[in-house]
Amino acid sequence: MNNAELSLFHRTILALLCLAGGVVSALSGIKELCSDACTAAHTFSFFNLPMQLLGVAYFVGLLAVAIILGKARKPAWWRRIFTAMVTMGMGAEIWFVGIQVFQIKRICIFCAVVAGIVAIVALLWGALQWRPLMETIRGGSRMNMVGRLMARGALVLTALGAGALISFAGLRPGTTAGEVVNPYIGNQMSPVEVIFITDWYCPSCLKAEPAMTDIVTKLSGKAKFTFIELNIHENSYNYVPANLSFLINEKRDYLKLRRALHTLAAKTPTPSEEELRNLARQCGVTYKPLPLSVVIKGLQFAAGIVSSAGINSTPTVLVVNRKSGANTVLQGDKAITLDAVGKAVDAVARGRN
């Protein structure tokens, strides 16, 4: 096998690895394929871009440069570009794997495979470059040898540090930023909010649940809705994290998930994570546990609404226009009807209490 054939062979291996990395990155965006351990990692974004999209773009870029390497008239520059891209990828992966190990405390299998592919590409590329690098360095004086070694080392270290630094600056857990925690379903553009204040173990709240479901279903085009807990019963706190997770992450299926949560609450006051995962799976979604900081924000959000509106009983419905400040309060299961809430929504939309 001559050098040209060897070069073609290794370029083919690099191209296949890049393709594999792109495919794995794309597959990680299919939530049905995600394990419960990887959902927390997937809440992270990179400068507000989904991690899966970034992974696909990165490997497509590597693949393009690998193809160009075989046809470029001045391959030295393209080798440097490929070296920088691979090393930056290594720096970024080291940072993100560190976040998973020390912050999330869970390892996403897709992320681990992607990191492994980047590491293999880096090792293979380093091995391929070692011999020509040594030949180039030996082709000059001792001073030139030191200078060239330092130049190559500086490129690698700079790219590695840049990858880690960019990841540090750009990686953000999507559900911990205040503006991203959106516990509303329905018409997100509406200034009218319908806030259901309930307790998971309140008998009157349970009676009002069918009416609340009907209200959300039939008025979803007129307002946005959320469910918060006053937590009169101590065990209700145990369902706050799951309820908030479903409100944030599974808006389309929230009502179905809420019914399932009530069924589970009737069986146990202390749901385990495994029970919540099974519940979500039966509803066709994946349970995504929220960081403690997000749960605390959810509790603060609920406490602020309850305090400002002076609400001290459940079930209660607060209908408020955030632009005009107009609001209406309906209390008790008998007062919470589709007709009553519909009239309240229309009234506050016009700026009337």
Side-chain angles (χ1 to χ4, degrees), residues 289-323:
L290 297 175
L292 179 60
S293 59
V294 179
V295 177
I296 291 173
K297 284 188 177 184
L299 289 169
Q300 292 171 339
F301 169 76
I305 290 174
V306 168
S307 176
S308 62
I311 295 168
N312 55 17
S313 65
T314 59
T316 296
V317 176
L318 171 64
V319 184
V320 59
N321 186 323
R322 291 301 179 189
K323 288 185 177 180

Side-chain angles (χ1 to χ4, degrees), residues 7-346:
S7 177
L8 175 61
F9 171 75
H10 284 103
R11 287 202 308 274
T12 302
I13 296 298
L14 287 172
L16 290 174
L17 286 169
C18 292
L19 280 172
V23 169
V24 173
S25 297
L27 289 176
S28 69
I30 303 175
K31 66 180 181 180
E32 287 78 7
L33 298 179
C34 290
S35 67
D36 295 311
C38 76
T39 53
H42 289 178
T43 65
F44 277 72
S45 62
F46 186 80
F47 291 110
N48 293 324
L49 292 174
M51 294 293 292
Q52 300 91 332
L53 177 62
L54 183 70
V56 172
Y58 173 75
F59 283 109
V60 168
L62 276 184
L63 178 61
V65 176
I67 293 172
I68 292 172
L69 273 171
K71 301 179 179 180
R73 293 183 179 179
K74 296 182 178 180
W77 280 105
W78 288 103
R79 283 198 298 269
R80 294 188 185 101
I81 291 172
F82 196 83
T83 299
M85 290 179 67
V86 171
T87 314
M88 286 181 70
M90 279 295 297
E93 286 297 336
I94 289 170
W95 186 265
F96 191 43
V97 169
I99 286 177
Q100 292 182 67
V101 172
F102 298 106
Q103 181 175 337
I104 301 175
K105 300 187 185 302
R106 296 182 179 193
I107 298 293
C108 164
I109 185 63
F110 287 106
C111 300
V113 172
V114 167
I117 291 173
V118 173
I120 292 171
V121 170
L123 289 172
L124 177 59
W125 183 247
L128 289 173
Q129 294 304 298
W130 182 254
R131 183 175 177 181
L133 175 62
M134 290 298 100
E135 290 176 352
T136 301
I137 289 173
R138 292 192 190 101
S141 64
R142 183 176 293 274
M143 289 297 294
N144 283 338
M145 289 174 60
V146 173
R148 288 171 179 172
L149 271 175
M150 291 181 65
R152 299 300 191 279
L155 173 63
V156 170
L157 290 176
T158 300
L160 189 69
L165 184 61
I166 292 172
S167 290
F168 170 75
L171 277 175
R172 290 292 180 269
T175 56
T176 60
E179 67 274 14
V180 179
V181 177
N182 175 13
Y184 291 96
I185 58 177
N187 183 356
Q188 301 291 324
M189 302 302 293
S190 175
V192 178
E193 298 178 9
V194 178
I195 303 166
F196 298 102
I197 299 99
T198 65
D199 178 278
W200 288 95
Y201 290 96
C202 162
S204 295
C205 297
L206 293 175
K207 290 180 182 179
E209 280 291 327
M212 290 188 285
T213 298
D214 195 35
I215 290 165
V216 174
T217 302
K218 294 180 179 177
L219 300 181
S220 60
K222 291 186 174 183
K224 55 185 176 183
F225 303 81
T226 193
F227 292 77
I228 63 175
E229 292 79 31
L230 186 53
N231 294 325
I232 296 173
H233 295 80
E234 185 176 288
N235 288 329
S236 287
Y237 282 104
N238 298 327
Y239 282 87
V240 169
N243 182 63
L244 186 59
S245 173
F246 293 143
L247 272 171
I248 293 172
N249 298 309
E250 306 296 343
K251 299 182 186 300
R252 186 180 62 180
D253 297 309
Y254 174 73
L255 293 176
K256 178 170 64 174
L257 289 160
R258 183 176 178 84
R259 288 193 294 271
L261 280 177
H262 272 294
T263 301
L264 182 60
K267 296 177 181 178
T268 175
T270 54
S272 67
E273 188 168 318
E274 182 62 29
E275 287 173 319
L276 293 171
R277 286 198 295 265
N278 289 335
L279 176 152
R281 195 175 297 116
Q282 290 169 6
C283 292
V285 301
T286 301
Y287 176 53
K288 304 176 180 67
L290 297 175
L292 179 60
S293 59
V294 179
V295 177
I296 291 173
K297 284 188 177 184
L299 289 169
Q300 292 171 339
F301 169 76
I305 290 174
V306 168
S307 176
S308 62
I311 295 168
N312 55 17
S313 65
T314 59
T316 296
V317 176
L318 171 64
V319 184
V320 59
N321 186 323
R322 291 301 179 189
K323 288 185 177 180
S324 67
N327 67 85
T328 297
V329 175
L330 302 170
Q331 292 185 310
D333 60 286
K334 293 181 180 179
I336 300 172
T337 64
L338 174 61
D339 182 60
V341 175
K343 289 179 179 178
V345 168
D346 291 338

